[in-house]
Amino acid sequence: MSYVDAALAPQRKTGQIKLHGSAAFESMRKAGRLAAECLDMLADEVKAGVTTAHIDQLVYEFGMDHRALPATLMYRGYRKSTCTSINHVVCHGIPNDKPLKEGDIVNVDVTFILDGWHGDSSRMYPIGAIPRRAERLIEVTYEAMMRGIAAIRPGGTTGDIGHAIQTLVESQHMSVVRDFCGHGLGRLFHDEPNIVHVGRPGEGIALRPGMFFTVEPMINLGRPHVKVLADGWTAVTRDRSLSAQYEHTVAVTEIGVEIFTLSPKGLGKPQFAAQG
Ligand code: MF3
Ligand code: CO
Ligand code: CO
């Protein structure tokens, strides 16, 4: 057992979904805001000619400057501070030395551990002018995440979230990835419950005030099937169609939902360059 394992042993997955109080909400607001501020900072940095390794370095330094640890660093053998997933990469793209180019779409996924609490969020960054179908994919993916979040309320279920996402996406003839899902988080990075991004109303797990989890749908222009490359991490669409993802960390409240990772600068929604 490593040091980290020993430290986390008392809070391992227990089979019981944790219900958090006001002190934990305060901590998650701070961790969530930091992840969102980092994604805001990247808005001017993620552009043609920049490598994903450079983006990773910026995320690492942002964490260090704010007394936060990137949660992915050394997580299950992963060695980077962020995931950068380009075009047909669905998730868990590993930053490397290849420059981004005009027309690419890239998801940057940042998780910080601040004072022991995890804030996990990702956004799409279009590189210059992108094809219209890529813009539509990004818009539908953002809207799907927000409709999933809007379905969250005490007394609702995880199936309500999945149903809201799946209904919108399939009405636009796009597909929801099944192989990865949202997750409970708090002092742990990946905890119960799983938040599956498809479902039926009233099915799944009952939502209760004090639950913390992510909503992070991965949406493909083509078929939903993915495969993981030989590096053990990079997940790509089997049909090589474009894929997009947005992610927020949220809480169930007494009256509905609170989003911990909203952009302080209002940069959370898709933004596109004018077509030239
Ligand atoms: N941040 C990702 C998520 O949304 C997890 C990345 S784990 C890594 O859950 F090891 F691939 F970085
Ligand atoms: Co997540
Ligand atoms: Co994430």
mmCIF file of all heavy atoms in Angstrom, residues 71-83 91-94 109-111 120-122 181-183 189-190 214 216 218 233 245 247, ligand 1:
data_model
loop_
_atom_site.group_PDB
_atom_site.id
_atom_site.type_symbol
_atom_site.label_atom_id
_atom_site.label_comp_id
_atom_site.label_asym_id
_atom_site.label_seq_id
_atom_site.Cartn_x
_atom_site.Cartn_y
_atom_site.Cartn_z
ATOM 1 N N ALA A 71 -5.523 16.695 -10.312
ATOM 2 C CA ALA A 71 -5.897 15.365 -9.794
ATOM 3 C C ALA A 71 -5.462 14.230 -10.712
ATOM 4 O O ALA A 71 -5.336 13.085 -10.274
ATOM 5 C CB ALA A 71 -7.412 15.301 -9.583
ATOM 6 N N THR A 72 -5.238 14.538 -11.992
ATOM 7 C CA THR A 72 -4.881 13.464 -12.933
ATOM 8 C C THR A 72 -3.409 13.090 -12.836
ATOM 9 O O THR A 72 -3.010 12.019 -13.311
ATOM 10 C CB THR A 72 -5.179 13.891 -14.392
ATOM 11 O OG1 THR A 72 -4.448 15.096 -14.672
ATOM 12 C CG2 THR A 72 -6.658 14.146 -14.599
ATOM 13 N N LEU A 73 -2.604 13.991 -12.248
ATOM 14 C CA LEU A 73 -1.154 13.780 -12.200
ATOM 15 C C LEU A 73 -0.848 12.581 -11.303
ATOM 16 O O LEU A 73 -1.152 12.597 -10.117
ATOM 17 C CB LEU A 73 -0.503 15.061 -11.650
ATOM 18 C CG LEU A 73 0.971 15.311 -11.926
ATOM 19 C CD1 LEU A 73 1.308 15.254 -13.397
ATOM 20 C CD2 LEU A 73 1.353 16.674 -11.353
ATOM 21 N N MET A 74 -0.285 11.523 -11.922
ATOM 22 C CA MET A 74 0.041 10.262 -11.244
ATOM 23 C C MET A 74 -1.216 9.479 -10.830
ATOM 24 O O MET A 74 -1.141 8.582 -10.002
ATOM 25 C CB MET A 74 0.936 10.497 -10.011
ATOM 26 C CG MET A 74 2.131 11.406 -10.275
ATOM 27 S SD MET A 74 2.995 11.000 -11.802
ATOM 28 C CE MET A 74 3.920 9.573 -11.283
ATOM 29 N N TYR A 75 -2.354 9.814 -11.416
ATOM 30 C CA TYR A 75 -3.594 9.083 -11.116
ATOM 31 C C TYR A 75 -3.643 7.813 -11.959
ATOM 32 O O TYR A 75 -3.642 7.881 -13.184
ATOM 33 C CB TYR A 75 -4.797 9.982 -11.439
ATOM 34 C CG TYR A 75 -6.154 9.333 -11.258
ATOM 35 C CD1 TYR A 75 -6.694 9.178 -9.985
ATOM 36 C CD2 TYR A 75 -6.882 8.878 -12.350
ATOM 37 C CE1 TYR A 75 -7.929 8.597 -9.805
ATOM 38 C CE2 TYR A 75 -8.130 8.291 -12.176
ATOM 39 C CZ TYR A 75 -8.644 8.154 -10.905
ATOM 40 O OH TYR A 75 -9.886 7.573 -10.736
ATOM 41 N N ARG A 76 -3.623 6.651 -11.307
ATOM 42 C CA ARG A 76 -3.656 5.360 -12.004
ATOM 43 C C ARG A 76 -2.665 5.278 -13.152
ATOM 44 O O ARG A 76 -2.976 4.755 -14.230
ATOM 45 C CB ARG A 76 -5.067 5.065 -12.532
ATOM 46 C CG ARG A 76 -6.077 5.035 -11.394
ATOM 47 C CD ARG A 76 -7.422 4.582 -11.843
ATOM 48 N NE ARG A 76 -8.318 4.534 -10.685
ATOM 49 C CZ ARG A 76 -9.538 4.022 -10.717
ATOM 50 N NH1 ARG A 76 -9.991 3.486 -11.828
ATOM 51 N NH2 ARG A 76 -10.293 4.030 -9.638
ATOM 52 N N GLY A 77 -1.490 5.848 -12.940
ATOM 53 C CA GLY A 77 -0.437 5.778 -13.946
ATOM 54 C C GLY A 77 -0.486 6.891 -14.977
ATOM 55 O O GLY A 77 0.391 6.965 -15.842
ATOM 56 N N TYR A 78 -1.506 7.746 -14.921
ATOM 57 C CA TYR A 78 -1.573 8.899 -15.845
ATOM 58 C C TYR A 78 -0.535 9.919 -15.389
ATOM 59 O O TYR A 78 -0.333 10.119 -14.196
ATOM 60 C CB TYR A 78 -2.977 9.498 -15.830
ATOM 61 C CG TYR A 78 -3.273 10.463 -16.977
ATOM 62 C CD1 TYR A 78 -3.636 9.984 -18.230
ATOM 63 C CD2 TYR A 78 -3.192 11.842 -16.796
ATOM 64 C CE1 TYR A 78 -3.914 10.857 -19.272
ATOM 65 C CE2 TYR A 78 -3.467 12.717 -17.830
ATOM 66 C CZ TYR A 78 -3.828 12.216 -19.070
ATOM 67 O OH TYR A 78 -4.104 13.081 -20.094
ATOM 68 N N ARG A 79 0.153 10.588 -16.352
ATOM 69 C CA ARG A 79 1.307 11.407 -15.981
ATOM 70 C C ARG A 79 1.182 12.863 -16.375
ATOM 71 O O ARG A 79 2.170 13.581 -16.438
ATOM 72 C CB ARG A 79 2.575 10.800 -16.603
ATOM 73 C CG ARG A 79 2.826 9.424 -16.067
ATOM 74 C CD ARG A 79 4.089 8.795 -16.632
ATOM 75 N NE ARG A 79 4.468 7.694 -15.754
ATOM 76 C CZ ARG A 79 5.148 7.857 -14.616
ATOM 77 N NH1 ARG A 79 5.576 9.053 -14.253
ATOM 78 N NH2 ARG A 79 5.426 6.817 -13.856
ATOM 79 N N LYS A 80 -0.044 13.322 -16.658
ATOM 80 C CA LYS A 80 -0.215 14.712 -17.092
ATOM 81 C C LYS A 80 -1.203 15.432 -16.171
ATOM 82 O O LYS A 80 -1.947 14.801 -15.414
ATOM 83 C CB LYS A 80 -0.713 14.766 -18.535
ATOM 84 C CG LYS A 80 0.255 14.147 -19.542
ATOM 85 C CD LYS A 80 1.488 15.020 -19.742
ATOM 86 C CE LYS A 80 2.485 14.331 -20.668
ATOM 87 N NZ LYS A 80 3.697 15.126 -20.852
ATOM 88 N N SER A 81 -1.224 16.769 -16.286
ATOM 89 C CA SER A 81 -2.082 17.606 -15.436
ATOM 90 C C SER A 81 -3.461 17.825 -16.016
ATOM 91 O O SER A 81 -4.328 18.404 -15.364
ATOM 92 C CB SER A 81 -1.410 18.963 -15.212
ATOM 93 O OG SER A 81 -0.193 18.772 -14.546
ATOM 94 N N THR A 82 -3.653 17.414 -17.270
ATOM 95 C CA THR A 82 -4.921 17.635 -17.940
ATOM 96 C C THR A 82 -5.122 16.559 -18.999
ATOM 97 O O THR A 82 -4.194 15.831 -19.330
ATOM 98 C CB THR A 82 -4.944 19.041 -18.577
ATOM 99 O OG1 THR A 82 -6.226 19.306 -19.090
ATOM 100 C CG2 THR A 82 -3.916 19.174 -19.662
ATOM 101 N N CYS A 83 -6.334 16.441 -19.513
ATOM 102 C CA CYS A 83 -6.589 15.619 -20.704
ATOM 103 C C CYS A 83 -6.944 16.565 -21.840
ATOM 104 O O CYS A 83 -7.716 17.520 -21.651
ATOM 105 C CB CYS A 83 -7.730 14.637 -20.479
ATOM 106 S SG CYS A 83 -7.411 13.425 -19.181
ATOM 107 N N CYS A 91 -12.173 11.120 -25.204
ATOM 108 C CA CYS A 91 -11.736 11.587 -23.885
ATOM 109 C C CYS A 91 -10.369 11.012 -23.579
ATOM 110 O O CYS A 91 -9.895 10.118 -24.287
ATOM 111 C CB CYS A 91 -12.738 11.207 -22.789
ATOM 112 S SG CYS A 91 -12.915 9.429 -22.528
ATOM 113 N N HIS A 92 -9.743 11.542 -22.516
ATOM 114 C CA HIS A 92 -8.472 11.034 -21.989
ATOM 115 C C HIS A 92 -7.332 11.132 -23.001
ATOM 116 O O HIS A 92 -6.378 10.344 -22.935
ATOM 117 C CB HIS A 92 -8.614 9.589 -21.468
ATOM 118 C CG HIS A 92 -9.655 9.445 -20.407
ATOM 119 N ND1 HIS A 92 -10.173 8.222 -20.018
ATOM 120 C CD2 HIS A 92 -10.315 10.377 -19.657
ATOM 121 C CE1 HIS A 92 -11.093 8.419 -19.073
ATOM 122 N NE2 HIS A 92 -11.189 9.715 -18.846
ATOM 123 N N GLY A 93 -7.406 12.116 -23.934
ATOM 124 C CA GLY A 93 -6.266 12.379 -24.808
ATOM 125 C C GLY A 93 -5.089 12.864 -23.973
ATOM 126 O O GLY A 93 -5.254 13.671 -23.052
ATOM 127 N N ILE A 94 -3.896 12.354 -24.277
ATOM 128 C CA ILE A 94 -2.696 12.689 -23.501
ATOM 129 C C ILE A 94 -1.967 13.848 -24.179
ATOM 130 O O ILE A 94 -1.650 13.763 -25.361
ATOM 131 C CB ILE A 94 -1.744 11.461 -23.409
ATOM 132 C CG1 ILE A 94 -2.486 10.248 -22.825
ATOM 133 C CG2 ILE A 94 -0.509 11.810 -22.584
ATOM 134 C CD1 ILE A 94 -1.668 8.950 -22.889
ATOM 135 N N ASP A 109 -9.799 19.096 -20.214
ATOM 136 C CA ASP A 109 -10.462 18.624 -18.994
ATOM 137 C C ASP A 109 -9.516 18.828 -17.817
ATOM 138 O O ASP A 109 -8.410 18.282 -17.804
ATOM 139 C CB ASP A 109 -10.828 17.140 -19.168
ATOM 140 C CG ASP A 109 -11.732 16.622 -18.062
ATOM 141 O OD1 ASP A 109 -11.723 17.185 -16.958
ATOM 142 O OD2 ASP A 109 -12.426 15.624 -18.318
ATOM 143 N N VAL A 110 -9.940 19.631 -16.862
ATOM 144 C CA VAL A 110 -9.105 20.009 -15.716
ATOM 145 C C VAL A 110 -9.785 19.565 -14.420
ATOM 146 O O VAL A 110 -10.969 19.842 -14.213
ATOM 147 C CB VAL A 110 -8.894 21.539 -15.685
ATOM 148 C CG1 VAL A 110 -8.233 21.975 -14.380
ATOM 149 C CG2 VAL A 110 -8.059 21.984 -16.881
ATOM 150 N N THR A 111 -9.044 18.888 -13.566
ATOM 151 C CA THR A 111 -9.529 18.578 -12.214
ATOM 152 C C THR A 111 -8.478 19.038 -11.221
ATOM 153 O O THR A 111 -7.331 18.598 -11.291
ATOM 154 C CB THR A 111 -9.776 17.069 -12.031
ATOM 155 O OG1 THR A 111 -10.539 16.581 -13.116
ATOM 156 C CG2 THR A 111 -10.479 16.798 -10.709
ATOM 157 N N ASP A 120 -13.961 19.401 -11.038
ATOM 158 C CA ASP A 120 -13.705 18.695 -12.313
ATOM 159 C C ASP A 120 -14.566 19.329 -13.397
ATOM 160 O O ASP A 120 -15.797 19.346 -13.275
ATOM 161 C CB ASP A 120 -14.067 17.211 -12.096
ATOM 162 C CG ASP A 120 -13.733 16.301 -13.257
ATOM 163 O OD1 ASP A 120 -13.140 16.758 -14.237
ATOM 164 O OD2 ASP A 120 -14.081 15.094 -13.145
ATOM 165 N N SER A 121 -13.937 19.874 -14.449
ATOM 166 C CA SER A 121 -14.719 20.525 -15.503
ATOM 167 C C SER A 121 -13.974 20.463 -16.821
ATOM 168 O O SER A 121 -12.732 20.447 -16.835
ATOM 169 C CB SER A 121 -14.987 21.985 -15.129
ATOM 170 O OG SER A 121 -15.871 22.597 -16.049
ATOM 171 N N SER A 122 -14.725 20.428 -17.911
ATOM 172 C CA SER A 122 -14.084 20.505 -19.225
ATOM 173 C C SER A 122 -14.936 21.324 -20.172
ATOM 174 O O SER A 122 -16.148 21.476 -19.979
ATOM 175 C CB SER A 122 -13.831 19.105 -19.807
ATOM 176 O OG SER A 122 -14.994 18.560 -20.384
ATOM 177 N N CYS A 181 -18.803 7.607 -18.130
ATOM 178 C CA CYS A 181 -19.944 8.285 -17.511
ATOM 179 C C CYS A 181 -19.454 9.326 -16.512
ATOM 180 O O CYS A 181 -18.262 9.411 -16.200
ATOM 181 C CB CYS A 181 -20.851 7.266 -16.830
ATOM 182 S SG CYS A 181 -20.009 6.169 -15.708
ATOM 183 N N GLY A 182 -20.396 10.154 -16.035
ATOM 184 C CA GLY A 182 -20.093 11.053 -14.936
ATOM 185 C C GLY A 182 -19.956 10.241 -13.648
ATOM 186 O O GLY A 182 -20.233 9.044 -13.624
ATOM 187 N N HIS A 183 -19.556 10.935 -12.580
ATOM 188 C CA HIS A 183 -19.173 10.228 -11.357
ATOM 189 C C HIS A 183 -19.360 11.098 -10.127
ATOM 190 O O HIS A 183 -19.182 12.316 -10.201
ATOM 191 C CB HIS A 183 -17.695 9.814 -11.458
ATOM 192 C CG HIS A 183 -16.780 10.952 -11.874
ATOM 193 N ND1 HIS A 183 -16.151 11.762 -10.967
ATOM 194 C CD2 HIS A 183 -16.456 11.430 -13.104
ATOM 195 C CE1 HIS A 183 -15.462 12.689 -11.624
ATOM 196 N NE2 HIS A 183 -15.629 12.522 -12.926
ATOM 197 N N PHE A 189 -11.831 11.407 -6.193
ATOM 198 C CA PHE A 189 -11.932 11.869 -7.579
ATOM 199 C C PHE A 189 -13.102 11.160 -8.271
ATOM 200 O O PHE A 189 -13.930 11.802 -8.927
ATOM 201 C CB PHE A 189 -10.593 11.575 -8.283
ATOM 202 C CG PHE A 189 -10.421 12.166 -9.661
ATOM 203 C CD1 PHE A 189 -11.397 12.963 -10.269
ATOM 204 C CD2 PHE A 189 -9.226 11.938 -10.355
ATOM 205 C CE1 PHE A 189 -11.186 13.500 -11.542
ATOM 206 C CE2 PHE A 189 -9.021 12.484 -11.615
ATOM 207 C CZ PHE A 189 -10.005 13.257 -12.211
ATOM 208 N N HIS A 190 -13.148 9.847 -8.145
ATOM 209 C CA HIS A 190 -14.205 9.065 -8.813
ATOM 210 C C HIS A 190 -14.894 8.185 -7.767
ATOM 211 O O HIS A 190 -14.310 7.249 -7.258
ATOM 212 C CB HIS A 190 -13.611 8.217 -9.948
ATOM 213 C CG HIS A 190 -13.117 9.057 -11.096
ATOM 214 N ND1 HIS A 190 -11.789 9.154 -11.413
ATOM 215 C CD2 HIS A 190 -13.777 9.839 -11.974
ATOM 216 C CE1 HIS A 190 -11.653 9.979 -12.466
ATOM 217 N NE2 HIS A 190 -12.842 10.403 -12.816
ATOM 218 N N THR A 214 -20.460 14.699 -11.248
ATOM 219 C CA THR A 214 -20.242 15.397 -12.520
ATOM 220 C C THR A 214 -21.299 14.978 -13.527
ATOM 221 O O THR A 214 -21.847 13.880 -13.460
ATOM 222 C CB THR A 214 -18.862 15.082 -13.125
ATOM 223 O OG1 THR A 214 -18.851 13.722 -13.581
ATOM 224 C CG2 THR A 214 -17.728 15.324 -12.130
ATOM 225 N N GLU A 216 -21.044 14.913 -17.619
ATOM 226 C CA GLU A 216 -19.969 15.095 -18.603
ATOM 227 C C GLU A 216 -20.186 14.281 -19.868
ATOM 228 O O GLU A 216 -19.379 13.420 -20.220
ATOM 229 C CB GLU A 216 -18.616 14.772 -17.969
ATOM 230 C CG GLU A 216 -18.513 13.419 -17.254
ATOM 231 C CD GLU A 216 -17.091 13.164 -16.724
ATOM 232 O OE1 GLU A 216 -16.166 13.197 -17.543
ATOM 233 O OE2 GLU A 216 -16.937 12.947 -15.502
ATOM 234 N N MET A 218 -20.233 12.742 -23.462
ATOM 235 C CA MET A 218 -19.414 12.674 -24.675
ATOM 236 C C MET A 218 -20.348 12.349 -25.826
ATOM 237 O O MET A 218 -21.073 11.344 -25.769
ATOM 238 C CB MET A 218 -18.357 11.577 -24.545
ATOM 239 C CG MET A 218 -17.200 11.955 -23.651
ATOM 240 S SD MET A 218 -16.678 10.586 -22.608
ATOM 241 C CE MET A 218 -17.790 10.825 -21.214
ATOM 242 N N TRP A 233 -4.958 4.893 -22.640
ATOM 243 C CA TRP A 233 -5.794 6.006 -22.201
ATOM 244 C C TRP A 233 -6.681 6.574 -23.309
ATOM 245 O O TRP A 233 -7.887 6.718 -23.123
ATOM 246 C CB TRP A 233 -4.920 7.151 -21.639
ATOM 247 C CG TRP A 233 -4.341 6.824 -20.314
ATOM 248 C CD1 TRP A 233 -3.058 6.445 -20.052
ATOM 249 C CD2 TRP A 233 -5.040 6.812 -19.064
ATOM 250 N NE1 TRP A 233 -2.911 6.207 -18.710
ATOM 251 C CE2 TRP A 233 -4.110 6.423 -18.087
ATOM 252 C CE3 TRP A 233 -6.355 7.083 -18.665
ATOM 253 C CZ2 TRP A 233 -4.458 6.308 -16.736
ATOM 254 C CZ3 TRP A 233 -6.702 6.977 -17.324
ATOM 255 C CH2 TRP A 233 -5.754 6.589 -16.389
ATOM 256 N N GLN A 245 -17.231 17.052 -25.816
ATOM 257 C CA GLN A 245 -17.606 16.831 -24.418
ATOM 258 C C GLN A 245 -17.586 18.154 -23.660
ATOM 259 O O GLN A 245 -16.735 19.017 -23.913
ATOM 260 C CB GLN A 245 -16.622 15.867 -23.735
ATOM 261 C CG GLN A 245 -16.969 15.585 -22.271
ATOM 262 C CD GLN A 245 -16.021 14.594 -21.605
ATOM 263 O OE1 GLN A 245 -14.863 14.463 -22.005
ATOM 264 N NE2 GLN A 245 -16.506 13.903 -20.596
ATOM 265 N N GLU A 247 -18.153 19.303 -19.347
ATOM 266 C CA GLU A 247 -18.292 18.725 -17.992
ATOM 267 C C GLU A 247 -18.436 19.828 -16.946
ATOM 268 O O GLU A 247 -17.659 20.779 -16.933
ATOM 269 C CB GLU A 247 -17.051 17.881 -17.646
ATOM 270 C CG GLU A 247 -17.074 17.321 -16.212
ATOM 271 C CD GLU A 247 -15.910 16.400 -15.907
ATOM 272 O OE1 GLU A 247 -14.848 16.534 -16.548
ATOM 273 O OE2 GLU A 247 -16.071 15.547 -15.004
HETATM 274 N N1 MF3 B 1 -11.159 14.428 -15.577
HETATM 275 C C1 MF3 B 1 -11.582 13.143 -16.091
HETATM 276 C C2 MF3 B 1 -13.029 12.988 -15.666
HETATM 277 O O1 MF3 B 1 -13.812 13.804 -16.039
HETATM 278 C C3 MF3 B 1 -10.762 12.008 -15.596
HETATM 279 C C4 MF3 B 1 -9.422 11.918 -16.208
HETATM 280 S S1 MF3 B 1 -8.567 10.641 -15.469
HETATM 281 C C5 MF3 B 1 -7.138 10.605 -16.324
HETATM 282 O O2 MF3 B 1 -13.398 12.135 -14.923
HETATM 283 F F1 MF3 B 1 -6.360 9.820 -15.669
HETATM 284 F F2 MF3 B 1 -7.369 10.215 -17.580
HETATM 285 F F3 MF3 B 1 -6.614 11.805 -16.400
#
